[in-house]
Amino acid sequence: MQRQLTREQLDSLPGHVATRADAARGETCAICLCEPEVGDVLCTLACTHVFHKACATQWLQRSVACPLCKGHALGEVR
């Protein structure tokens, strides 16, 4: 069983630069507990939970599970 994502899998995670709309939502990154600011790079996992890309990368180098719902980060069966 895979315990962390490979570099290729990490690089393939969908990301986007935070907009004013992202910042206005007031949702925090569940890893660092900070709200995204305009210009931050965010990452969306298969479960649709959003985190800072750097935070998600660090987390997923240790675990394949979303820190919130524990689903597989890429939507694969564990």
Side-chain angles (χ1 to χ4, degrees), residues 26-37 40 50-52 55-56 59 67-68:
E27 297 175 358
T28 61
C29 171
I31 300 170
C32 71
L33 304 178
C34 294
E35 292 182 12
E37 296 181 13
D40 287 354
V50 179
F51 307 95
H52 290 108
C55 296
W59 179 274
L68 287 176

Side-chain angles (χ1 to χ4, degrees), residues 3-78:
R3 294 180 179 225
Q4 72 260 353
L5 297 185
T6 65
R7 173 53 49 198
E8 293 80 25
Q9 290 170 315
L10 288 168
D11 291 342
S12 74
L13 290 172
H16 70 281
V17 176
T19 63
R20 289 183 195 184
D22 292 312
R25 280 191 202 100
E27 297 175 358
T28 61
C29 171
I31 300 170
C32 71
L33 304 178
C34 294
E35 292 182 12
E37 296 181 13
V38 174
D40 287 354
V41 178
L42 305 178
C43 174
T44 305
L45 302 184
C47 56
T48 70
H49 289 122
V50 179
F51 307 95
H52 290 108
K53 178 87 172 184
C55 296
T57 298
Q58 284 185 331
W59 179 274
L60 296 170
Q61 286 174 332
R62 294 185 282 263
S63 172
V64 295
C66 169
L68 287 176
C69 69
K70 306 303 181 212
H72 194 285
L74 301 176
E76 299 172 1
V77 179
R78 287 198 251 176

